[in-house]
C-alpha cells in the first residue's frame, strides 16, 4: 500500500511541477509538442523494447489484443445508446471521446513500476485499442453526422503503420513468437532511455493542464466521465473475476480500462468540425483523475 501511494504522489507531483513551470514561464503550452515527440519516438518505444526482453508469448497475448478490441466496441455501443436522444453533433462527440484508453503514453509508465511482467499484455491490449482510437471511432462519428470519412480501412491502417510504438509492438511480438532475444547492450540501452518515459509523460500532462470549465460543458463532461468509469468498472470486474488468465494479466488489464482519454480523440474531435469545448475540458480532467483512480483500483486488486 505504501508503495502505491508513494508512486502516485511522485507522479502527481511531477504533473504539478510541469504545471508550475508553465505558470512561471519556463515552459510554454506549445512545448508539450516537443515532449510528445520525444515520448512518441524515443522513450515509449525504448520502454516497450526493454519490457519485452525475455518475454515468452502465449495465447493470452492474443486474448489481450481481443479484449482491447472488445472493450472499445462495447464502449462505442454504450456511448451511442447513451447519447441516442442528443443532437447528432453530441452523439459524434460521445463516440470519439467515450471510447479508447491512453495506455501507452500515460497508464503504462505508471503501471510498469508495479507490474513489469504485465507490460507485454498491456501492449497487446493497446494494439487492439489503437484500431479504434486511431481512426475507427472517427469513421463511425462521420457516419453519424452523415459524412464520408474517406477510405476508412486505408485511413486506419495508415495511422497504425505510421505509428512508431505500434510498429515496435508488432516487431517485439513477432520476435517473442520466434523466441528471438535482442542482444543485452540493446536491451540495456532501451531500459535506460525508457526509464524517463514516466517523468516526461507526467511533465507533459502538467504543461498541457488547463481545468477551466465552461458552465455549459460541465454537464456533458460529467456524463462522459460517468460513462467511461461505469464501463471501466464493469470491464474490470469481468476481466479480474471471470477471465481464467494469469493473475498479472488480469491485474494490468483491469487497471488499463481506467486510463485517460487518448490524445488522438481530441484531434479527431477537432477534425469533425463540431463544438469541441467539452472535449478540451474532458481530456485534462480525465488525465488528472487517472493516477488517483489507478492507485485506488490497484489497492483493491493487490
Amino acid at each position: 500500500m505504501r508503495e502505491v501511494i508513494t508512486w502516485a504522489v511522485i507522479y502527481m507531483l511531477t504533473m504539478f511541477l510541469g504545471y508550475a513551470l508553465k505558470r512561471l514561464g519556463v515552459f510554454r503550452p506549445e512545448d508539450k509538442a516537443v515532449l510528445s515527440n520525444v515520448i512518441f519516438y524515443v522513450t515509449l518505444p525504448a520502454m516497450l523494447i526493454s519490457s519485452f526482453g525475455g518475454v515468452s508469448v502465449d495465447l493470452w497475448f492474443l486474448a489481450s489484443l481481443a479484449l482491447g478490441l472488445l472493450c472499445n466496441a462495447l464502449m462505442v455501443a454504450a456511448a451511442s445508446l447513451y447519447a441516442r436522444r442528443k443532437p447528432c453533433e453530441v452523439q459524434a462527440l460521445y463516440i470519439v471521446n467515450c471510447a479508447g484508453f491512453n495506455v501507452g503514453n500515460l497508464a503504462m509508465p505508471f503501471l510498469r513500476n508495479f507490474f513489469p511482467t504485465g507490460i507485454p499484455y498491456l501492449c497487446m491490449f493497446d494494439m487492439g485499442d489503437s484500431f479504434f482510437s486511431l481512426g475507427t471511432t472517427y469513421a463511425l462519428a462521420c457516419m453519424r453526422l452523415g459524412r464520408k470519412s474517406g477510405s476508412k480501412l486505408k485511413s486506419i491502417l495508415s495511422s497504425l503503420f505510421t505509428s512508431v510504438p505500434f510498429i515496435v509492438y508488432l516487431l517485439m511480438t513477432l520476435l517473442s513468437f520466434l523466441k528471438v532475444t535482442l542482444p543485452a547492450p540493446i536491451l540495456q540501452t532501451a531500459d535506460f532511455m525508457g526509464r524517463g518515459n514516466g517523468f516526461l509523460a507526467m511533465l507533459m500532462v502538467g504543461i498541457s493542464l488547463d481545468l477551466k470549465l465552461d458552465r455549459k460543458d460541465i454537464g456533458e463532461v460529467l456524463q462522459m466521465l460517468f460513462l467511461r468509469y461505469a464501463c471501466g468498472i464493469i470491464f474490470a470486474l469481468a476481466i479480474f473475476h471471470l477471465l481464467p488468465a494469469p493473475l498479472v494479466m488480469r491485474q494490468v488489464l483491469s487497471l488499463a480500462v481506467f486510463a485517460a482519454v487518448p490524445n488522438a480523440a481530441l484531434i479527431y474531435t477537432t477534425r469533425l468540425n463540431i463544438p469541441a469545448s467539452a472535449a478540451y475540458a474532458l481530456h485534462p480532467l480525465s488525465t488528472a483523475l487517472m493516477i488517483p483512480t489507478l492507485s485506488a483500483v490497484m489497492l483493491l486488486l493487490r
Side-chain angles (χ1 to χ4, degrees):
M1 179 175 178
R2 180 181 299 177
E3 184 185 13
V4 173
I5 295 174
T6 299
W7 276 110
V9 171
I10 290 172
Y11 270 68
M12 294 300 292
L13 287 177
T14 304
M15 182 181 71
F16 289 126
L17 173 64
Y19 181 76
L21 291 175
K22 180 183 71 170
R23 298 289 295 178
L24 292 172
V26 177
F27 288 112
R28 297 169 298 173
E30 53 268 28
D31 289 334
K32 66 183 180 182
V34 177
L35 290 177
S36 177
N37 285 335
V38 174
I39 293 169
F40 190 81
Y41 292 107
V42 181
T43 60
L44 177 56
M47 185 190 72
L48 298 177
I49 291 172
S50 64
S51 297
F52 266 91
V55 169
S56 178
V57 174
D58 55 30
L59 291 177
W60 287 115
F61 282 70
L62 298 179
S64 299
L65 173 65
L67 282 171
L69 292 167
L70 178 62
C71 288
N72 272 275
L74 292 175
M75 290 184 81
V76 169
S80 300
L81 182 63
Y82 187 86
R84 66 189 184 281
R85 296 184 180 178
K86 296 178 181 288
C88 290
E89 290 82 3
V90 179
Q91 292 181 39
L93 180 74
Y94 272 64
I95 290 173
V96 173
N97 291 278
C98 287
F101 308 98
N102 199 334
V103 174
N105 279 348
L106 295 179
M108 197 180 297
F110 179 68
L111 295 178
R112 188 192 188 199
N113 297 300
F114 309 97
F115 308 102
T117 59
I119 296 303
Y121 296 111
L122 279 177
C123 292
M124 299 303 291
F125 182 88
D126 197 33
M127 284 178 64
D129 172 76
S130 296
F131 181 79
F132 276 84
S133 61
L134 292 181
T136 301
T137 52
Y138 172 70
L140 293 172
C142 285
M143 292 171 60
R144 187 56 52 91
L145 293 170
R147 305 175 190 169
K148 293 182 179 180
S149 61
S151 178
K152 301 178 185 64
L153 182 59
K154 182 179 179 181
S155 176
I156 295 168
L157 293 178
S158 176
S159 296
L160 291 176
F161 285 98
T162 54
S163 167
V164 174
F166 187 80
I167 293 172
V168 172
Y169 286 158
L170 287 180
L171 289 177
M172 295 308 297
T173 302
L174 178 61
L175 291 176
S176 298
F177 270 117
L178 297 175
K179 301 187 183 303
V180 175
T181 303
L182 293 175
I186 294 179
L187 292 176
Q188 290 171 351
T189 302
D191 183 66
F192 172 73
M193 292 190 292
R195 288 184 182 277
N197 192 63
F199 173 76
L200 291 178
M202 294 311 296
L203 194 69
M204 181 188 69
V205 170
I207 293 172
S208 60
L209 193 62
D210 187 0
L211 297 178
K212 295 179 181 178
L213 292 176
D214 192 304
R215 282 183 175 272
K216 67 179 182 180
D217 296 322
I218 292 177
E220 296 296 352
V221 170
L222 292 178
Q223 289 180 72
M224 286 190 284
L225 280 175
F226 167 77
L227 190 59
R228 287 184 62 88
Y229 283 123
C231 288
I233 291 171
I234 294 171
F235 295 157
L237 290 173
I239 290 170
F240 192 77
H241 292 290
L242 301 181
L243 196 67
L247 176 61
V248 69
M249 173 183 166
R250 291 186 285 121
Q251 288 174 321
V252 295
L253 296 192
S254 296
L255 290 161
V257 294
F258 293 102
V261 181
N263 297 332
L266 193 55
I267 298 172
Y268 286 129
T269 301
T270 303
R271 190 180 296 178
L272 287 170
N273 196 27
I274 60 177
S277 53
Y280 278 96
L282 172 69
H283 281 245
L285 188 57
S286 72
T287 301
L289 291 173
M290 188 189 72
I291 297 299
T293 302
L294 290 180
S295 301
V297 175
M298 200 182 310
L299 292 174
L300 295 175
L301 296 179
R302 291 173 74 87

